[in-house]
Amino acid sequence: MKCEQYEDLFTDFINQDLSIPERENMEQHLAACPNCTAQLLAMQQLWNIMGTIETPQPSAHLQVKFNAMLNTYKQEVAEQKNGFWQTAKAGWSRLWQMQPQWPMAYNLAILVICLGGGFFYMHNSGSNNNDKQLQALNNEVHELKQTMMLSLLENPSASERIRGVSYTPEIKHADKEVIDALLATLNNDPNVNVRLSTLDALSHLANHPEVRQGLIQSISQQDSPLMQSAIADLMLKLQEKKSITQFKELLKQKNLNTTVRDKISQTIKILI
């Protein structure tokens, strides 16, 4: 077996889901392959870190609001059905009172038309109300995710702040509050891993002009070689020529990491 085939079994190996022969074969390969051993250890460490992250419990207010929305929806559906049959019954009564001389067949034809039109109206009306309810529920979920993200960004735990940043892709329409919070985290968070995670999240929002501008301004505020290198990679990926000025200012720093200096110089050449 090739290394790629063993790598596909890493997850089962960690979870102890391999058969005895497969596990023995894996252990023999790991003993002779330092690269696979290093990758397996890195994966194990990542899983251990993920295992320490607690899943947030929904608040009591969330359950109350959901139940209220659900009850309101059920009540509206019931009212629509009752209203339709009451209207149909009243129309049938008026039909017989006003036109008693019509033949039975003609009356039945009119009734069928009325019922069909009423059903069509109720179906369309119900569909519109369902769409409105779903839209309202989607908006509510979006607001909850945004609130949770903003709250986690202020958590003293770095792992919690990273978890908050990870909610960014789930927020379909990032507003100014979200963007400002992410940029503040990018520039001010004391943990470089949190800042790296935030940079990755902001890279997916680079279609927002304010995000691009914030990323460019952040270049001069980063003192970590990891962050400086990561921003250089992102600006190169975005082909953001407006970042050249900031990179040139960064090159003026006497204590700039040599590897970072070479990377930024190369980035400027490519962007020019």
Side-chain angles (χ1 to χ4, degrees):
M1 291 175 63
K2 297 181 180 179
C3 289
E4 291 80 3
Q5 294 173 299
Y6 284 103
E7 291 171 5
D8 293 337
L9 299 175
F10 280 175
T11 300
D12 292 335
F13 182 79
I14 294 174
N15 292 331
Q16 299 183 356
D17 290 335
L18 295 179
S19 64
I20 294 177
E22 288 176 331
R23 187 172 186 84
E24 291 177 350
N25 188 23
M26 174 69 77
E27 291 173 348
Q28 292 176 2
H29 177 74
L30 292 173
C33 183
N35 290 334
C36 284
T37 301
Q39 291 187 38
L40 179 62
L41 290 175
M43 179 181 289
Q44 181 68 66
Q45 292 175 353
L46 177 61
W47 280 47
N48 291 338
I49 293 173
M50 293 175 63
T52 61
I53 299 176
E54 298 180 359
T55 302
Q57 296 297 324
S59 66
H61 297 291
L62 177 61
Q63 185 64 40
V64 171
K65 293 175 72 174
F66 177 80
N67 289 337
M69 292 174 61
L70 183 60
N71 291 334
T72 301
Y73 172 73
K74 290 180 178 179
Q75 183 178 359
E76 289 180 353
V77 171
E79 290 175 353
Q80 288 174 5
K81 290 182 178 179
N82 292 335
F84 167 72
W85 289 114
Q86 289 175 359
T87 301
K89 184 178 180 180
W92 173 257
S93 299
R94 288 195 298 270
L95 181 66
W96 281 97
Q97 291 173 3
M98 294 174 62
Q99 302 292 344
Q101 71 276 17
W102 288 354
M104 176 63 72
Y106 191 65
N107 288 335
L108 289 175
I110 295 297
L111 177 61
V112 169
I113 294 173
C114 291
L115 289 175
F119 177 81
F120 180 78
Y121 172 80
M122 185 185 73
H123 181 267
N124 287 342
S125 177
S127 298
N128 291 334
N129 286 329
N130 288 344
D131 292 341
K132 291 179 180 179
Q133 290 287 339
L134 288 174
Q135 183 61 43
L137 186 58
N138 286 334
N139 292 338
E140 185 74 15
V141 172
H142 177 270
E143 292 178 3
L144 288 172
K145 288 180 179 178
Q146 178 171 314
T147 301
M148 181 176 292
M149 188 205 79
L150 295 174
S151 176
L152 287 172
L153 288 180
E154 299 177 358
N155 194 289
S157 170
S159 61
E160 290 297 290
R161 296 198 298 277
I162 290 176
R163 187 152 63 96
V165 171
S166 70
Y167 282 120
T168 303
E170 300 181 27
I171 299 177
K172 297 180 180 179
H173 307 289
D175 57 20
K176 187 177 185 301
E177 185 178 10
V178 170
I179 293 174
D180 288 347
L182 289 172
L183 289 175
T185 302
L186 177 67
N187 295 327
N188 304 317
D189 197 282
N191 187 289
V192 67
N193 291 322
V194 176
R195 299 203 301 274
L196 285 170
S197 298
T198 306
L199 180 65
D200 180 67
L202 285 168
S203 68
H204 299 290
L205 301 176
N207 58 317
H208 295 264
E210 58 269 32
V211 171
R212 287 212 176 205
Q213 185 61 32
L215 290 171
I216 294 172
Q217 294 175 352
S218 178
I219 293 173
S220 60
Q221 301 185 46
Q222 301 299 331
D223 55 4
S224 166
L226 287 174
M227 284 299 303
Q228 292 166 343
S229 179
I231 288 184
D233 287 336
L234 179 57
M235 293 295 104
L236 192 59
K237 178 181 178 181
L238 298 176
Q239 287 295 296
E240 184 53 76
K241 297 184 182 297
K242 294 181 181 179
S243 64
I244 294 176
T245 301
Q246 291 291 329
F247 281 133
K248 288 182 177 180
E249 290 296 320
L250 193 60
L251 288 176
K252 295 179 181 179
Q253 296 182 7
K254 295 181 179 180
N255 60 344
L256 186 65
N257 180 275
T258 303
T259 303
V260 174
R261 184 181 296 277
D262 293 340
K263 188 178 189 65
I264 291 177
S265 299
Q266 184 65 23
T267 300
I268 293 175
K269 291 180 180 179
I270 297 175
L271 291 176
I272 292 177

